[in-house]
Amino acid sequence: MDLNFSAEDIAFRDEVKAFLKENWTDQDRKDMGNGLSMDHDMPVRWHRKLAAKGWAAPNWPLELGGCPWTSTQKYIFDIETANANCPRLISFGLNLVAPVLYTFGNEEQQKKYLPSILSGDTWWCQGYSEPGAGSDLAGLSTRAELSDDGTHYVVNGQKTWTSTARYADMIFCLVRTDPTAKIKQQGISFLLIDMKTPGITVKPISTLDGQQHVNDTFFDNVKVPVENRIGEENMGWTYAKLLLTHERTGIAGVARSKNRLSELKIVASAEPTGTGQAPLIEEPTFRAKISQIEIDLMALEITDLRTLAGVQKGGAPGPESSILKVRGTEIQQAIAELFLESAGYYCQPFVQDTHWGSYEGEMIGADYSTSTALQYFSTRPATVYGGSSEVQRNIISKAVLGLKFK
Amino acid sequence: MDFNLSEEQTMLQDSVSRFIQNSYGFEDRKKYIAADNGFSAENWNMFAELGWLGIPFAEEHGGFGGGALETMMVMEEFGKGLVIEPFLATVVLGGGFLSKGGTPVQQEQLIPSIIEGKLQLAFAFVEPQGRFNLADLTTTATASGDGYSISGHKGVVLNGPSADKLIVTTRTSGDQRDESGITVFLVDANAAGVSRRNYPTIDAMQGSEITFNDVKVSADDIIGELNNGLPLIQSVVDDGLLAICAEAVGAMEVLYKTTVDYSKQRKQFDVAIGSFQALQHRMVDMFIEHEQSKSLMLLAAMRLAEGSDEASKAISALKVQIGKAGRYVGQQAVQLHGGMGQTEELNVGHYFKRLTMISHTFGNADFHLNRFGEL
C-alpha cells in the first residue's frame, strides 16, 4: 500500500498541467462562470480539444479511443481539470450510451455512432424516466410497435427529465415492445432515435434554480428503423442495467467537490462571522461544518480510489459503488448549502444576468454570492436523478447486505 | 395556562385562512408575482378593508389593538399560502418602529396611512460587512445644518422597490460595531441622494440595494432615541423574527401534509410510495419538526405578548428550531416528491425556497444558537 504518486504519475500530472495551460485559458475559466449558466456548447468545445489530444474518453477500450491510464492517472486527470474549473463533459454519449454500444451493439452500430461520440460531434440525451416510471424505471410504458413489414418501430409515449434534449442530435430510449410480458423487466427494448425524426416534441421544464436544463420529450408515431435497436428485442433491460452501473461511477464527483470546498474556504475567509467581527471561517460552528464535509470527502476519495482500482483489476464496479452516488451527492449538497450560508443575506437576490460568466455589470453583493441560491437549488436533484438515494440504498441493502425487500 | 384562542382571535384566523384558501392558489399567486410591483395591489387594498393592516396598531390610531399573538396568527396563515404582499416589511417592521419608537407626530401622520393601505415601508438595515450584527454599521448620519446627512449602502432591503419611506439604521457616533451611537431615521425613498437598484429575490419577493449619498434629513425624522437606537431595533427585529418563524410554521404544515398526500397517491413498484417504511419515518420526522416548531412559536409569541424578559431568548430558541426544521422539512418534501419536487410547476419547491430564505433572515440558526447561550 502506498498513497504517493510514482515518478510516472508525476510526469503525467505535469503533462496534464501543460495541456491545460495551452488549451484552457483564463478567459475560458471566466466564461465558465459558475458552470451552471454557461453557454450550452461550452462542454462541447472542451470535448473537442480533449478529443484532439485523445483524452475525451479515458474509460473506453484502448482500441476504440480510450486512454492507457492507470486508475491513479485518471484520478490525477480529474483533479487537475476540476481545479482548472473545466466543464464536465456531457456524459450521455461518452459514458452512458457508448459502453452499451461497444458491449452490446453490432459492428455497424459501433462504426456508425462511436466515432462521432468520441469527437464530440454528436450530442446524445437519455430517454429513460417517464411520468409514471421514476425510481421504478422498469414500469415504463412508452410503446414501440414493430411495423408489419418488420422494417421499423412506431414509438408513442412520453419521456421526462431528458436533460439537454433541446440540443441533442440523438436520444437512446427504453421502450416497451412486449406489453404482455409477465415480468415488467422483460418486454423492454433499447432504441437509438434521431431527434430530428418527425413526431418528436421537446418541452422544457423550469426547475427551482430558474433554469430549463430538463425537458419533457413526447413521441407521436415516431418511426424508428429496426436497425436502430441495440441487441435483441425485449432484452433492453439487461443492457440498460449495465449502463446504470456506469452512470453510478464518476458520479461521486470527488475532484469537483474538493475544488468547491477549497473555494468555499476562500470565500468564507472573506465573509464576516455572524457578529461581523472575524472571518466566517473562524466561527466555530461554521468551521465544524466545513471540517465535517472535508472528513466525509477524504473518506469518499479513498472509497472512490478503491473502487477504481477494483475496476482496473477487472470488470464493472459492483453494487457497493452505490456508496459513491449516495455520499458523493450528499457532499455536493452540503457544500452548496454552506456557500448559501456564507453569503448570508446576499443569497437572496436572484438576477439571472449576474449568473453568467460573461456578465460585465456591477454585481449584487460579493461576486460569488449571486449564484449561491442557484447552486443550492441545482444540487437538490442530485439525490434524485441517476437512481435516487433511496434506490441506491435499496441496491446496497439487497445486493450487498442480502436483506430482502418485501 | 391556556392555549385556546379568544373568540376575536378565532374570527381573525378564520378570515385569513378563508382568504388563503379562496384567493391564494398556485395560479393566483403566479399572477400576483407577475404584477408590476411584484405583488397584488388589489390584495393589499383588501387587507386594508378587512382591517388586517391595522392588526398590531393601537386603537387610538385606528388599529385593531392586537399584539404578538395576532401577528403570529396572520403570518402563520400567510405562510400556508406563501403570501408575497409586504405585510412583514410595512406592517410588522415599519409599523413596529413607528408604534414603538415614533414621535406622536410621526405616528399620527403615518400609522393611519399604513392601515388604509396607502403607505409602503421598508427596513434598510443590512450592510454587506455586518452580516447579522445589527450594530455593525458603516452608514453614517452626520450633523449638517439643522439636521443630518446620511451616506452609505444598505443591502437586500425587502420591499425596497415599492417603499414610500425607508427606515434606516445609521451610525451617529462611536465606532463601527459599538452598541451605542446608533440612530434610526425615517427617510423619504424618493429624497435627493437616494438611489435604488431593484431586483427579485429567489423566493419571489422584491428587494433593493440602496445607496444614500449625502441625503438630508431633519432631527424630526429620528425614530426613537438619538444615539440609542439599538434596543428599539432589536425589539422590532424580535417581532420580525416571530413573524417570519410563524410564516415558516405555516409553510411547513403545508409541506408535510402535501408530502403525505403525494406519497399516498404516487405509485411505484405497483404500490403507493407511502407504504415504504423508510419514507414513512421521514414523514413522521417532518411532522414532529412542525409540531416542535409550533410549540416554540407559541411560547415565543406569548413571551413577547407579556413583555417578558425571557422573550428574546424564546425568540432565539424559535429561530434555531425553524432553521433546523425548515431545512429538514423543505429538503425532505422536495426529495420525496422526486423529480416533480424540483420543478417550478409544483408548489413544493416554492415553499422550500421561502423556508430556505427565512432561515437566512435576521440571523441564521448558528447566530441564534450563540445568542441563546449568551442571553
Side-chain angles (χ1 to χ4, degrees), chain B residues 245-319:
Chain B
C245 289
E247 187 186 350
V249 169
M252 282 191 274
E253 184 177 334
V254 172
L255 275 185
Y256 91 73
K257 287 182 173 167
T258 306
T259 306
V260 169
D261 285 347
Y262 180 76
S263 79
K264 289 177 182 170
Q265 288 156 18
R266 171 72 173 172
K267 284 195 170 172
Q268 289 283 270
F269 308 102
D270 304 319
V271 291
I273 61 169
S275 66
F276 300 133
Q277 204 170 37
L279 304 192
Q280 287 170 352
H281 286 185
R282 273 145 71 180
M283 289 184 274
V284 169
D285 285 339
M286 290 166 77
F287 165 78
I288 292 173
E289 290 296 353
H290 167 259
E291 288 297 327
Q292 291 285 80
S293 301
K294 186 149 182 159
S295 295
L296 282 176
M297 173 188 82
L298 293 169
L299 172 70
M302 287 187 279
R303 288 280 182 255
L304 270 186
E306 69 196 19
S308 158
D309 294 344
E310 295 285 299
S312 291
K313 193 160 183 168
I315 286 286
S316 278
L318 171 62
K319 191 63 172 39

Side-chain angles (χ1 to χ4, degrees), chain B residues 201-228:
Chain B
T201 62
I202 180 87
D203 53 349
M205 306 277 171
Q206 301 294 320
S208 308
E209 295 299 295
I210 305 186
T211 43
F212 300 86
N213 186 8
D214 201 11
V215 178
K216 304 286 184 222
V217 284
S218 95
D220 294 340
D221 296 322
I222 293 174
I223 302 179
E225 292 175 47
L226 176 69
N227 285 327
N228 189 30

Side-chain angles (χ1 to χ4, degrees), chain A residues 312-334:
Chain A
Q312 202 181 2
K313 273 196 199 134
E320 68 281 0
S321 62
S322 285
I323 297 172
L324 304 176
K325 169 74 182 4
V326 169
R327 207 30 76 87
T329 49
E330 283 170 359
I331 289 171
Q332 288 158 26
Q333 291 178 340

Side-chain angles (χ1 to χ4, degrees), chain A residues 56-68:
Chain A
N59 295 321
W60 286 22
L62 213 50
E63 65 277 14
L64 292 172
C67 302

Side-chain angles (χ1 to χ4, degrees), chain B residues 47 59 84 163 168 171 181 237 280 295 333 346:
Chain B
F47 292 0
E59 286 168 28
I84 46 160
V168 187
R171 180 150 297 289
V237 167
Q280 287 170 352
S295 295
L346 217 64

